[in-house]
Amino acid sequence: MGATLLHDFNPLSSKPRALIIQKLPSPANLFSSTTKTRRVELQRKKKKKMATVAVVKLNTTTNGALAHVDMVTSSLALTAEKPAVTIELIALVTVKNIHQKVNINVDTMLHWFGDRRHDDCKGGVLLQLVSTQTAPKGVKKKLSQEAVLDWTKNPKMGDEKNSYQVKFVVDSTFGMPGAITVSNRYDEEFYLDSINIEGLVHFACNSWVQPDQKSNAAKRIFFSTKAYLPNETPAGLKELREMELIQLRGDGTGLRLQSDRIYDYDSYNDIGNPDKGIEYMRPTLGGNVHPHPRRCRTGRPPTKTDENMESPVSEFETIYVPRDEEFEQPKQEALDVGKLKGTVRNITHALSTITEDRNVKGYSDINGLYTDSSSLQSKTQPGTQILNKVHEFLKFDPPKLNSREIYCLPDDQFGRQTIAGINPLSIERLEVFPPVSKLDTSIHGPQESALKEEHIIGQLNGMSIQQALEDNKLFILDYHDIFLPFLNKINALDDRKAYATRTIFFLTSLGTLKPIAIELSLSDSASKQVLTPPIDATTSWLWQLGKAHVCSNDAGVHQLVHHWLRTHACIEPIIIATRRQLSVMHPIYKLLKPHLRYTLKVNAMARKDLINAGGTIESNFTPARYCMEFSCAAYRDWWRFDLEGLPADLIRRGIAVPDTSQVHGLKLLIQDYPYATDGLLIWSAIETLVQTYVNYYYPNASLVTSDTELQSWYNEFINLGHADLRDASWWPKLSTPEDLISILTTIIWLTSAQHAALNFGQYPYGGYVPTRPPHMRRLIPKNDDPEYASFIRDPQQYFISSLPSLFEATKYMAVIDIISAHSPDEEYIGERKDLSNWSADTEISEAFYRFSVEMRRIEKEIERRNGDLSLRNRSGAGVSPYELLMPSSEPGVTCRGVPNSITV
């Protein structure tokens, strides 16, 4: 009955999930361990009555022995009148050390697991093999005798893992093991790494196993590494496959415990804290008012003030994520060290502002935040040297774009950042001049641009505007429509002043972008001004202020739209749907698994400390308390999954046009566009790998449409994960292998290269606040403004006072320094630790090998490009090489490296 119910079960059904689950067998009762039979004793009794019974002991170290056992098993299966033969299968069970800093020994392990013995079965870890076959009547599963994992017997101790030998007893008709159940009767969880019956079957478990009393006595189910589509699942594993997914889905109710491994959806109703006061009230993200992707449900109780808002966790608590989504020890240790260092740095600079003006007095204050090797090399007294070293340790490393002599962003770097910086995703080809707003005039009034021909005609090298447009010479950073609806609210805040900006760039004969005009708009349609390249000292400072405001716009869009929304937030529903709807046996689950690592944990931490009310994002970026509403507006008006792949995105922005004669099927209109040219190499490699993989498992369209798990996965991703946009007409279909290839390539691109390009350069490119301020505190003065006189008198001080305060800057720098760093356990694109899954599938193994080789080739190609002096946007005097899409990296802040997943 359970299998039939699951086959007909619609994940999007309006029926209460709990009602359906009640009709299914309880996971706890699938395998009753309380009625364990003594099969060995029965066999001994039979020996007394029978003349001879062959007992074969499997030696798992030789293929010859395996072949012998197969022959014996086949032969006995054909001779019904002969009694069954018992076989011992010897397995190696590997458990990860969770106390790696402690010298693990047997006594430690016994203390860890409660110092229990297993003779009375009140403690211990019980394991049972499940055959891929069913019993002769085709209903019951074939099970081995229960085996007991004894921590005290002959462990092979290691620094990180311990291995134990376990013997399973099966009869000769058992067939191939396909699954194993695990029951933890100790009081503590343990991390089960793998179970290997050498030469026969391997179980890559990689999961925490909770004590029975914490998991309602549900036995854990682990499957062999062999992939099966749902309709190919061996008969003996079908019910287990369905039951494992039911356990992962839960019933959508109750408080989630840290030991749970349940995945469900919820809206972002936990970023505010109305119990702290009205200033901490925030709207729910998700729904008609503020559409947003869904998150993983935690089930925390509501706040006292608003029952629709979920209460936040305390400072010392962690937000729930399913147990296996937690950081591993090396990752957590690296993060803790980064946090500690950032906290100490921030406290040091905070103390310095207690008796001093918290505002920046000059560039010396800013430059004093960074280490200076010369101070350590100077000849001073030993005591002074020690103090200098301590003082320098508390400072920040100089970022990639820091210059002690250039305090404002030069025009050439300003242009280069749009195509080879931390936000290369906003630049667009200008199709019409002056640019046209798409805002609703009935709400925002007329929005005619203030840009005129006279503002740019002198910067076009003798070309007319029409000719420049036709020759694809004009490009734009257009932040007018996304910022303007928020300007009144932003500018009403303390210490926040912003414009909705447009910046026009001209593509030079050298392939570089030259800024030629900046339009600055306020909510009042009459309050627009245009800045052009300077002609004297006054216009030079006005131009610098204009670029700073553009950069603050750019920093906000980068963080809130391209980084948070397009990668972190929009990928979370994919992860939840994958865990809930695709069995670990499913080939698409196996393909995607490395690209899901750590992301739910990272996003949960972001809800707690970054995007929450008063958190780092609100404290630093221009929209302040409206940051998440800003993201919601972009999601509602602009985000489309079908345009998230690199080629589609480049075409949408007018940066490329389809061209089948080109290597990647499109032609770039900015040929030296480092993000795009390097990105297309990685995109193409991912696409080739996915094509091989999908075509191997889905040689025809009928296999795609008939795959119930795959269809449920994609439908749930859309209808539950992106519920606010589920009715959009642009969602891609999933009917053919080509559809699946496109969807999977996009997902892998977003979780790997796209996120890497947006994240790991944040400190290197944004750690020097004057060249990339996250927000501005003063508008640009006009002739009739009261502040104009102070600007004329001391333009440098006016510029500095427009930037974030020193305390704000150091807090911001500390955070982006942490999130720009790779952890020691990073897994980079082209690296996979699970290739044993396809040891019998040569075509797939070879495809992964070719992909790995291609990543190494791409790395060398990027190195070559960075040394090519004809590529002015990545090479030349004072030009930083573009390395953000270099596949590999060392740990730390390196401004390079493409992890498989969103790990920070």
Side-chain angles (χ1 to χ4, degrees):
M1 181 175 70
T4 303
L5 278 172
L6 271 183
H7 177 75
D8 296 333
F9 175 64
N10 179 2
L12 307 179
S13 171
S14 60
K15 293 183 180 180
R17 190 178 304 279
L19 182 63
I20 298 175
I21 291 175
Q22 287 170 4
K23 297 180 181 179
L24 295 164
S26 168
N29 297 325
L30 266 179
F31 304 99
S32 175
S33 59
T34 58
T35 58
K36 179 181 176 183
T37 57
R38 304 284 185 178
R39 291 186 177 86
V40 175
E41 293 179 7
L42 292 175
Q43 289 291 342
R44 289 174 180 171
K45 291 180 180 179
K46 288 181 180 180
K47 285 183 180 179
K48 297 179 180 179
K49 299 179 180 180
M50 301 165 62
T52 308
V53 175
V55 179
V56 180
K57 180 173 288 188
L58 176 64
N59 181 346
T60 62
T61 60
T62 63
N63 293 330
L66 288 173
H68 176 64
V69 171
D70 288 340
M71 288 168 38
V72 171
T73 303
S74 301
S75 132
L76 292 169
L78 293 173
T79 313
E81 66 275 9
K82 291 186 178 181
V85 176
T86 57
I87 301 173
E88 279 189 354
L89 304 180
I90 302 176
L92 199 64
V93 180
T94 302
V95 177
K96 182 177 290 188
N97 269 338
I98 61 172
H99 303 295
Q100 294 179 16
K101 291 188 175 181
V102 180
N103 183 19
I104 301 295
N105 52 37
V106 171
D107 291 335
T108 305
M109 295 294 291
L110 289 174
H111 175 72
W112 176 18
F113 288 100
D115 197 16
R116 297 186 177 185
R117 296 298 187 265
H118 313 24
D119 296 338
D120 57 3
C121 290
K122 292 182 180 179
V125 178
L126 305 183
L127 307 101
Q128 191 170 34
L129 288 175
V130 184
S131 174
T132 56
Q133 303 173 6
T134 55
K137 293 184 179 180
V139 179
K140 294 184 178 180
K141 292 170 288 297
K142 286 186 177 182
L143 308 175
S144 72
Q145 295 183 35
E146 285 187 329
V148 179
L149 176 58
D150 189 342
W151 305 117
T152 66
K153 293 183 178 179
N154 303 319
K156 295 182 179 179
M157 310 300 287
D159 292 336
E160 297 183 358
K161 300 177 182 178
N162 300 330
S163 297
Y164 304 84
Q165 192 177 90
V166 173
K167 295 179 181 179
F168 292 99
V169 178
V170 300
D171 65 44
S172 56
T173 63
F174 185 77
M176 179 65 71
I180 189 167
T181 63
V182 180
S183 178
N184 178 9
R185 301 224 175 154
Y186 288 114
D187 294 328
E188 301 293 333
E189 66 179 2
F190 69 94
Y191 190 90
L192 183 58
D193 182 84
S194 63
I195 301 172
N196 187 41
I197 305 177
E198 189 174 348
L200 185 64
V201 65
H202 181 74
F203 301 89
C205 305
N206 298 313
S207 181
W208 292 94
V209 179
Q210 300 300 323
D212 286 354
Q213 65 268 27
K214 288 186 180 180
S215 55
N216 299 319
K219 290 189 175 184
R220 287 297 309 276
I221 306 165
F222 297 100
F223 297 98
S224 70
T225 56
K226 183 172 176 56
Y228 295 101
L229 293 177
N231 61 356
E232 297 172 345
T233 309
L237 305 181
K238 285 183 177 180
E239 188 177 6
L240 285 183
R241 180 172 185 148
E242 296 162 350
M243 188 55 64
E244 168 73 353
L245 289 174
I246 289 176
Q247 292 179 7
L248 290 168
R249 292 174 194 144
D251 62 6
T253 64
L255 173 68
R256 295 285 175 256
L257 305 177
Q258 295 299 324
S259 57
D260 288 344
R261 48 191 295 269
I262 297 173
Y263 298 79
D264 202 359
Y265 299 93
D266 206 347
S267 57
Y268 282 66
N269 62 346
D270 63 340
I271 63 172
N273 187 4
D275 292 347
K276 288 182 66 176
I278 191 171
E279 65 271 25
Y280 289 94
M281 294 179 65
R282 298 293 183 271
T284 294
L285 310 184
N288 293 332
V289 180
H290 299 292
H292 192 274
R294 298 304 190 259
R295 64 171 173 91
C296 187
R297 180 183 176 277
T298 65
R300 295 196 306 276
T303 61
K304 297 176 182 179
T305 309
D306 186 347
E307 64 179 10
N308 295 317
M309 301 301 293
E310 189 172 273
S311 58
V313 297
S314 69
E315 181 180 355
F316 302 104
E317 292 179 308
T318 58
I319 293 182
Y320 166 80
V321 292
R323 185 65 182 94
D324 290 335
E325 305 291 343
E326 290 283 353
F327 291 158
E328 294 182 26
Q329 185 170 326
K331 172 73 173 178
Q332 188 62 55
E333 289 177 350
L335 181 64
D336 291 342
V337 170
K339 284 183 175 180
L340 178 61
K341 193 172 182 180
T343 301
V344 171
R345 284 169 168 171
N346 208 48
I347 290 175
T348 303
H349 295 294
L351 291 174
S352 69
T353 64
I354 292 177
T355 57
E356 301 176 13
D357 185 355
R358 64 192 293 267
N359 294 320
V360 182
K361 295 180 179 178
Y363 283 110
S364 60
D365 287 348
I366 298 172
N367 289 336
L369 299 174
Y370 305 98
T371 57
D372 184 356
S373 58
S374 62
S375 65
L376 298 178
Q377 297 172 356
S378 60
K379 296 181 179 180
T380 57
Q381 296 296 323
T384 305
Q385 287 183 350
I386 293 174
L387 290 175
N388 284 344
K389 288 181 178 180
V390 172
H391 187 59
E392 290 297 309
F393 174 77
L394 297 176
K395 292 184 177 183
F396 293 88
D397 294 327
K400 196 180 187 81
L401 292 185
N402 177 33
S403 172
R404 302 302 174 94
E405 299 177 357
I406 302 175
Y407 303 121
C408 301
L409 188 65
D411 282 4
D412 60 336
Q413 287 193 20
F414 183 45
R416 190 178 305 117
Q417 291 308 298
T418 66
I419 53 179
I422 192 57
N423 179 21
L425 274 71
S426 290
I427 190 71
E428 300 175 271
R429 178 168 59 88
L430 184 62
E431 297 181 356
V432 61
F433 186 88
V436 178
S437 172
K438 296 179 182 178
L439 291 175
D440 188 341
T441 56
S442 66
I443 299 175
H444 303 286
Q447 293 297 324
E448 293 183 4
S449 174
L451 286 161
K452 307 296 181 185
E453 181 177 358
E454 60 265 25
H455 291 131
I456 68 170
I457 193 65
Q459 303 289 333
L460 304 183
N461 291 351
M463 301 173 71
S464 67
I465 292 177
Q466 187 60 36
Q467 184 181 358
L469 290 171
E470 292 174 356
D471 290 353
N472 302 316
K473 293 292 186 181
L474 293 178
F475 295 84
I476 186 172
L477 279 182
D478 192 346
Y479 296 133
H480 178 276
D481 286 4
I482 194 167
F483 267 97
L484 193 126
F486 292 90
L487 283 185
N488 280 340
K489 293 188 289 187
I490 291 172
N491 289 329
L493 300 171
D494 293 335
D495 285 347
R496 285 291 195 284
K497 291 295 179 283
Y499 297 98
T501 66
R502 289 185 176 115
T503 307
I504 308 296
F505 295 88
F506 179 73
L507 182 63
T508 71
S509 59
L510 298 176
T512 58
L513 290 176
K514 179 177 72 172
I516 59 175
I518 297 173
E519 181 187 51
L520 304 159
S521 299
L522 295 175
S523 296
D524 179 3
S525 59
S527 299
K528 296 178 183 289
Q529 59 179 308
V530 176
L531 301 175
T532 55
I535 57 174
D536 57 23
T538 299
T539 55
S540 178
W541 279 106
L542 291 172
W543 182 245
Q544 297 301 339
L545 282 166
K547 287 189 292 184
H549 274 280
V550 173
C551 286
S552 70
N553 271 195
D554 188 72
V557 171
H558 159 259
Q559 197 68 259
L560 303 175
V561 179
H562 300 315
H563 186 203
W564 166 254
L565 176 66
R566 296 178 68 183
T567 59
H568 287 264
C570 287
I571 286 299
E572 183 152 348
I574 276 285
I575 298 171
I576 300 172
T578 301
R579 303 293 195 193
R580 285 165 51 89
Q581 298 298 338
L582 295 182
S583 166
V584 295
M585 307 169 73
H586 200 289
I588 301 306
Y589 178 95
K590 292 179 181 295
L591 175 67
L592 290 178
K593 185 180 178 182
H595 305 289
L596 314 180
R597 185 179 186 233
Y598 288 160
T599 306
L600 290 190
K601 177 65 174 180
V602 168
N603 287 3
M605 293 173 64
R607 298 201 312 274
K608 180 175 181 290
D609 297 317
L610 297 182
I611 67 171
N612 60 308
T616 298
I617 297 298
E618 289 190 0
S619 299
N620 288 289
F621 292 97
T622 298
R625 63 177 294 143
Y626 308 106
C627 278
M628 288 299 99
E629 295 179 45
F630 190 92
S631 294
C632 289
Y635 180 66
R636 177 193 64 219
D637 300 333
W638 185 80
W639 184 83
R640 289 178 50 164
F641 181 74
D642 63 324
L643 299 181
E644 284 298 278
L646 178 58
D649 179 61
L650 294 172
I651 292 171
R652 167 173 58 179
R653 293 189 282 123
I655 299 296
V657 294
D659 186 344
T660 56
S661 67
Q662 299 295 314
V663 176
H664 303 290
L666 50 78
K667 176 184 178 182
L668 290 172
L669 301 183
I670 304 175
Q671 293 184 10
D672 183 16
Y673 185 176
Y675 160 77
T677 54
D678 294 357
L680 285 169
L681 295 177
I682 295 178
W683 170 273
S684 180
I686 295 171
E687 186 176 47
T688 299
L689 171 67
V690 173
Q691 283 175 341
T692 302
Y693 193 92
V694 168
N695 289 331
Y696 180 82
Y697 289 103
Y698 299 92
N700 57 68
S702 64
L703 290 173
V704 174
T705 56
S706 64
D707 188 331
T708 54
E709 287 184 8
L710 186 70
Q711 295 297 327
S712 295
W713 166 74
Y714 190 56
N715 289 334
E716 183 172 291
F717 164 58
I718 296 172
N719 290 283
L720 296 185
H722 289 275
D724 302 326
L725 300 179
R726 61 187 169 191
D727 295 326
S729 60
W730 43 255
W731 283 104
K733 304 297 182 184
L734 180 51
S735 302
T736 67
E738 290 71 27
D739 295 339
L740 182 57
I741 289 165
S742 176
I743 292 167
L744 293 174
T745 302
T746 298
I747 292 170
I748 295 173
W749 162 258
L750 290 172
T751 60
S752 58
Q754 181 80 297
H755 178 261
L758 292 165
N759 184 76
F760 294 104
Q762 290 195 72
Y763 183 78
Y765 286 98
Y768 190 65
V769 172
T771 59
R772 190 174 174 80
H775 69 266
M776 297 288 283
R777 297 190 295 158
R778 302 179 80 171
L779 295 175
I780 299 174
K782 296 182 180 179
N783 291 348
D784 54 352
D785 290 340
E787 294 183 323
Y788 192 75
S790 63
F791 163 71
I792 293 296
R793 184 169 55 254
D794 192 346
Q796 178 175 296
Q797 184 56 40
Y798 190 95
F799 181 89
I800 292 175
S801 66
S802 299
L803 302 174
S805 69
L806 203 61
F807 183 56
E808 289 173 329
T810 54
K811 285 203 303 182
Y812 172 67
M813 291 158 55
V815 172
I816 62 173
D817 184 45
I818 292 171
I819 63 179
S820 297
H822 293 288
S823 63
D825 68 338
E826 203 85 272
E827 295 175 5
Y828 296 96
I829 191 166
E831 299 176 359
R832 289 194 72 118
K833 295 183 177 181
D834 58 354
L835 288 180
S836 61
N837 287 345
W838 299 278
S839 57
D841 301 312
T842 305
E843 184 176 346
I844 300 300
S845 298
E846 290 179 352
F848 281 119
Y849 174 75
R850 290 193 300 270
F851 183 69
S852 179
V853 171
E854 181 64 8
M855 287 303 109
R856 292 195 292 270
R857 188 196 71 79
I858 289 172
E859 190 155 304
K860 292 180 180 179
E861 173 60 18
I862 293 175
E863 289 177 355
R864 185 199 67 76
R865 291 174 177 180
N866 285 334
D868 187 345
L869 292 177
S870 68
L871 302 177
R872 304 298 181 94
N873 293 315
R874 64 193 310 159
S875 182
V879 176
S880 299
Y882 185 76
E883 297 181 314
L884 284 171
L885 291 176
M886 280 280 200
S888 69
S889 175
E890 296 296 321
V893 180
T894 63
C895 202
R896 60 176 286 167
V898 179
N900 277 320
S901 61
I902 301 169
T903 59
V904 66

